[in-house]
Amino acid sequence: MRKLQSNPFNCSVVKAINYIGGKWKPIILISLYRRENVRFGRFTVLIPDISRKILTQQLKELEDDGLIIRQEYKEKPPRVEYRLSDFGKTLIPVLKALHDWGGQIENSEINKTWN
Amino acid sequence: MRKLQSNPFNCSVVKAINYIGGKWKPIILISLYRRENVRFGRFTVLIPDISRKILTQQLKELEDDGLIIRQEYKEKPPRVEYRLSDFGKTLIPVLKALHDWGGQIENSEINKTWN
DNA sequence: CTATTTAGTTACTAATTTGTAACTACCAAT
DNA sequence: ATTGGTAGTTACAAATTAGTAACTAAATAG
């Protein structure tokens, strides 16, 4: 959860945006929607412009918010898989609404994500 | 439109969030959904914690993005009314989706906005 | 013994967003 | 002449978010 919108006005819409509004969070969530589970390193391939630090941070916030599950295998070298939680899956219709609205504006490459 | 998410990854969800993700934008949009038109000064009453500078800024971005219409009456003292544009009205289902999702988390005061 | 692999962490910096306080313009009323 | 009302603007500062580069750990491969 971000703190930007530490909004004295208690608004559900703002609250929802605080969950998904991180710069890379929608892309992370969509990746997990499409792939069931994704390893840390895989994210850095799927999202080339994200740094490991920011990726860690966004994943941790999503995990703290209960939207994703982090599963660590006690192996060396390490293996960590991320997946959507049941709660996270309830976001899918919301993401689709945002996607459809945002997509109408100008159709572009990865708009086919949902199709 | 904010620039925070100047995202090289062209994602419709991110794009949508860039339109509505300003700290006060959802509240402004919901106010306009409920009231048809709102004057500048009225916003400062409806949203007591917003400063005139930030209000101006958020309204201008919403106007530049085509979501709201600014109507200025040539009077003294000035009168300026804001309303949702037709394009802005297409956001309503999206805002509802966000509201419903955000509302399920913990029900609070102004959650009745949509009911 | 050194390099490789994976999933990070740390210290520091840069960019973006939000906020404060004081100021402007114009007309009407006191 | 001063005050009041509306809708701002300006210069500046603070808070938040994102990014860089270098570093860590532990086992395995060569």
Side-chain angles (χ1 to χ4, degrees):
Chain A
M1 181 98 73
R2 306 180 305 158
K3 40 180 158 173
L4 168 64
Q5 328 250 46
S6 56
N7 206 313
F9 215 91
N10 189 333
C11 170
S12 295
V13 176
V14 173
K15 206 181 297 179
I17 290 177
N18 283 342
Y19 277 80
I20 59 176
K23 176 162 176 180
W24 306 99
K25 284 182 185 174
I27 297 171
I28 291 171
L29 292 167
I30 290 171
S31 298
L32 292 175
Y33 165 69
R34 300 178 66 192
R35 285 161 212 266
E36 186 62 33
N37 70 75
V38 177
R39 293 179 62 177
F40 185 87
R42 185 87 175 109
F43 278 119
T44 68
V45 175
L46 295 172
I47 313 172
D49 288 305
I50 199 171
S51 70
R52 295 203 297 302
K53 184 212 159 190
I54 298 297
L55 177 57
T56 304
Q57 185 180 298
Q58 305 264 302
L59 288 169
K60 193 169 293 177
E61 284 181 14
L62 290 169
E63 194 199 357
D64 289 346
D65 288 342
L67 295 178
I68 66 174
I69 292 167
R70 176 182 185 278
Q71 186 166 8
E72 183 177 354
Y73 297 87
K74 293 289 179 197
E75 304 173 358
K76 294 293 164 177
R79 180 157 66 103
V80 178
E81 284 177 3
Y82 293 89
R83 67 185 66 249
L84 282 182
S85 67
D86 286 343
F87 178 48
K89 287 175 186 161
T90 66
L91 259 179
I92 290 174
V94 180
L95 293 173
K96 284 199 181 183
L98 286 162
H99 173 84
D100 291 344
W101 190 85
Q104 96 191 343
I105 294 173
E106 176 198 5
N107 275 50
S108 57
E109 279 314 295
I110 67 127
N111 268 29
K112 23 191 156 87
T113 302
W114 294 107
N115 306 330
Chain B
M1 183 99 73
R2 305 180 305 158
K3 39 178 159 175
L4 169 63
Q5 327 249 47
S6 55
N7 207 311
F9 214 91
N10 190 334
C11 169
S12 295
V13 177
V14 173
K15 205 181 298 180
I17 290 178
N18 283 342
Y19 276 80
I20 60 176
K23 175 162 177 180
W24 306 98
K25 284 183 185 176
I27 298 170
I28 291 170
L29 292 167
I30 290 171
S31 299
L32 292 176
Y33 165 70
R34 300 179 64 193
R35 285 161 212 266
E36 185 63 31
N37 71 76
V38 176
R39 294 180 62 178
F40 185 88
R42 184 87 174 110
F43 278 118
T44 68
V45 174
L46 295 172
I47 313 171
D49 289 304
I50 200 173
S51 70
R52 294 204 295 303
K53 184 209 157 191
I54 298 299
L55 176 57
T56 303
Q57 184 179 300
Q58 304 263 302
L59 288 169
K60 194 170 296 179
E61 284 181 15
L62 290 169
E63 195 200 355
D64 289 346
D65 289 341
L67 296 177
I68 66 175
I69 292 167
R70 177 181 183 279
Q71 184 165 9
E72 183 177 355
Y73 297 87
K74 293 290 178 196
E75 304 173 0
K76 294 294 165 172
R79 179 156 67 103
V80 178
E81 284 178 2
Y82 293 89
R83 68 185 66 247
L84 283 182
S85 67
D86 286 344
F87 179 48
K89 287 176 186 160
T90 66
L91 260 178
I92 290 174
V94 180
L95 292 173
K96 283 196 182 186
L98 286 162
H99 173 84
D100 291 345
W101 189 86
Q104 95 192 341
I105 294 174
E106 175 198 8
N107 275 51
S108 56
E109 281 312 297
I110 67 128
N111 270 30
K112 21 189 159 82
T113 302
W114 295 108
N115 305 330

